[in-house]
Amino acid sequence: MSSSIGKALAERLDREDPLGAFRERFHIPKRENGEDEIYFCGNSLGLQPKSARRYVEEVLEAWARMGARGHFEGDRPWLPYHEFATEKLARLIGALPSEVAAMNSLTANLHLLMVSFYRPTPERHKILIEAHAFPSDRYAVESQIRFHGFDPDGSLIQAETRQGESIIRMDDLLQLVDREGESIALILWPGVQFYTGQAFALEKIVEAGHRKGCAVGFDLAHAAGNLVLNLHDSKADFAVWCSYKYLNAGPGSVAGCFVHERHARRFDLPRFAGWWGHDKSTRFAMPPRFNPLPGAEGWQLSNPPILSLAPLLASLDLFDAAGMEALRAKSEKLTGYLERLLIERCDDKVAILTPAQPAERGCQLSIRLQDGKPIHEGLMAAGIACDWRGPDVIRLAPVPLYNRFGDVFDVVERLERMLEHA
Ligand SMILES: *Cc1c(COP(=O)(O)O)cnc(C)c1O
């Protein structure tokens, strides 16, 4: 193989990496022999920031020491605890602080926001999703359609890729919206497609949808902490994301939602209410009439699980310190390096499904291989954590916060050797 992109290059890129030191701030899972795993599934569950423990212990400590006083006292009282995440989350996704709230889980937030932004009428009752949408999103959307008395058979539009292709063509999508838009109440679209890793130009989808009078919401499960997002400028109506993937906030951690500023005071919109969405100044007077907070906070339901919010604060510190622009710059290099190595060393045995344009992908490359299952098992056995999506796809996600160019090199070298012997 050419030495120009070999091990020496990986070592140089790691030495020159301005973000290299962030790896030290994470727990890297270990193999049986005690060596670090190569962890390429941060798109599934991000690694634990070492500082997460301190944040969680602080909550346990405050609870032990103060009981209910912890709601109001201490360095980070629980009453406004979610607010400690707000500004950093807003920076991370390119929104105003009033447009974001850390709350609930992704699918719960999706339902809550569809209650407000999916308002079907007999003329306009359809929801547009992608044909290969994540199952939870599909279940949520279909159940909302039924909840309103419609039938997914007539009210769900699924955008397909072209025959034999795995990537949605933006022009096809925009034409579909143009053609069918008048019957579409809501477009629900991913920021990054979970299977192929395709990233979408959000503002173009919003523009096309709004031109036809559709509401447009995004599922950013695979985009938050992966892409540089400008949600406010995209003019999206709403967005939701989880925080255990690229956001490294731990299994089942508290999710996020975005509601565009122009809807901040749309108190006329139907919403499912709970006391945490109620005006903070009178929340504890507990008046009988619900008076929603302006902005995304007005969609909260309950007092949040503080122990699950604590690791999110730890993780957001790291994103804030690194900066999403810098992370993305490294990410493009890291993924570009993975792509070059795969093409150079495994080209005849591996097809990359993910778009080749950096603007059309995040950090994940999805590769298709024949008889891939034993290859995946072999990679896992060699201490390379990556994920298998049947029937024939391995997803590799080099994450700029904690993965190295050397990791990328080692993965491709191992893969090449296994393919030779397959
Ligand atoms: C990970 C993921 C989810 C998970 O939903 P939860 O409510 O967090 O369990 C939903 N949608 C997409 C697109 C995902 O990638």
Side-chain angles (χ1 to χ4, degrees):
M1 69 149 272
S2 107
S3 57
S4 68
I5 63 168
K7 186 87 178 169
L9 175 63
E11 283 168 358
R12 180 167 67 75
L13 291 171
D14 279 325
R15 268 197 313 277
E16 291 171 357
D17 174 10
L19 300 178
F22 279 92
R23 177 179 171 86
E24 288 299 309
R25 300 170 74 170
F26 288 86
H27 290 290
I28 311 292
K30 297 281 186 271
R31 313 177 202 191
E32 270 173 31
N33 66 6
E35 283 175 25
D36 286 351
E37 269 185 12
I38 296 180
Y39 196 79
F40 272 21
C41 56
N43 55 345
S44 178
L45 184 79
L47 291 182
Q48 183 185 135
K50 289 179 178 164
S51 52
R53 183 177 298 270
R54 185 165 48 75
Y55 273 93
V56 172
E57 281 177 351
E58 177 189 85
V59 176
L60 289 171
E61 171 64 22
W63 177 25
R65 199 158 35 82
M66 297 188 275
R69 276 188 289 119
H71 283 298
F72 312 97
E73 296 178 18
D75 291 342
R76 272 183 278 265
W78 310 324
L79 200 60
Y81 198 88
H82 69 278
E83 295 173 32
F84 299 120
T86 303
E87 290 207 2
K88 289 173 185 163
L89 260 187
R91 265 197 290 283
L92 187 77
I93 58 155
L96 305 173
S98 62
E99 291 174 318
V100 305
M103 63 190 212
N104 309 316
S105 63
L106 184 157
T107 307
N109 289 342
L110 185 53
H111 274 298
L112 291 173
L113 292 169
M114 281 197 284
V115 164
S116 297
F117 295 103
Y118 174 52
R119 307 299 309 151
T121 64
E123 297 75 37
R124 187 193 280 278
H125 52 87
K126 295 181 184 170
I127 300 183
L128 170 63
I129 62 171
E130 29 130 11
H132 302 284
F134 194 85
S136 195
D137 301 49
R138 172 182 304 275
Y139 305 152
V141 158
E142 290 191 356
S143 66
Q144 287 273 338
I145 288 171
R146 290 199 182 90
F147 176 75
H148 286 281
F150 293 91
D151 184 339
D153 276 348
S155 299
L156 186 65
I157 307 185
Q158 307 189 42
E160 291 275 5
T161 55
R162 292 192 187 183
Q163 191 75 33
E165 298 186 1
S166 44
I167 294 305
I168 297 221
R169 296 195 194 195
M170 197 62 176
D171 286 344
D172 289 354
L173 173 63
L174 298 179
Q175 277 168 28
L176 174 65
V177 172
D178 208 46
R179 214 167 48 239
E180 313 249 358
E182 264 133 57
S183 67
I184 297 174
L186 171 67
I187 299 171
L188 178 68
W189 205 257
V192 173
Q193 213 284 343
F194 76 97
Y195 189 83
T196 63
Q198 180 179 13
F200 293 93
L202 306 187
E203 68 289 344
K204 283 195 186 154
I205 299 172
V206 175
E207 198 202 350
H210 283 179
R211 201 179 319 125
K212 288 287 170 176
C214 323
V216 182
F218 291 111
D219 182 331
L220 303 177
H222 283 261
N226 183 13
L227 303 179
V228 173
L229 296 165
N230 291 298
L231 266 190
H232 174 83
D233 291 343
S234 82
K235 301 194 172 66
D237 294 283
F238 71 87
V240 296
W241 59 91
C242 53
S243 60
Y244 47 82
K245 293 173 179 165
Y246 294 110
L247 292 189
N248 310 315
S253 55
V254 174
C257 84
F258 162 92
V259 179
H260 196 277
E261 185 189 29
R262 68 183 178 281
H263 301 305
R265 293 180 176 279
R266 289 289 309 279
F267 302 131
D268 56 313
L269 289 173
R271 71 175 89 191
F272 286 170
W275 72 322
W276 232 249
H278 181 91
D279 177 15
K280 289 170 198 177
S281 64
T282 61
R283 184 186 289 149
F284 285 88
M286 304 195 179
R289 196 169 152 274
F290 177 64
N291 184 18
L293 286 163
E297 283 187 311
W299 274 266
Q300 295 174 104
L301 296 180
S302 304
N303 75 99
I306 304 296
L307 286 166
S308 294
L309 263 175
L312 178 62
L313 299 187
S315 176
L316 288 174
D317 286 348
L318 298 179
F319 275 94
D320 223 42
M324 202 53 232
E325 303 268 353
L327 283 167
R328 176 63 175 160
K330 174 177 173 185
S331 180
E332 287 186 12
K333 276 195 202 162
L334 202 57
T335 299
Y337 182 54
L338 174 60
E339 180 183 44
R340 280 178 62 193
L341 282 173
L342 285 169
I343 290 172
E344 182 149 324
R345 303 185 69 161
C346 311
D347 195 30
D348 50 340
K349 304 217 172 92
V350 157
I352 302 175
L353 302 187
T354 311
Q357 289 295 330
E360 293 171 26
R361 68 188 185 199
C363 70
Q364 167 188 325
L365 291 186
S366 303
I367 59 175
R368 173 169 282 154
L369 25 150
Q370 267 183 355
D371 299 324
K373 187 89 177 109
I375 302 278
H376 176 254
E377 281 162 9
L379 290 173
M380 295 290 284
I384 295 167
C386 55
D387 101 356
W388 171 252
R389 292 277 150 171
D392 54 4
V393 167
I394 292 176
R395 299 187 305 171
L396 301 169
V399 168
L401 262 175
Y402 47 75
N403 285 129
R404 300 172 295 200
F405 291 88
D407 296 339
V408 170
F409 182 85
D410 291 346
V411 167
V412 178
E413 188 169 64
R414 172 67 66 158
L415 182 63
E416 182 188 29
R417 231 179 306 147
M418 294 181 62
L419 289 169
E420 273 166 12
H421 298 112

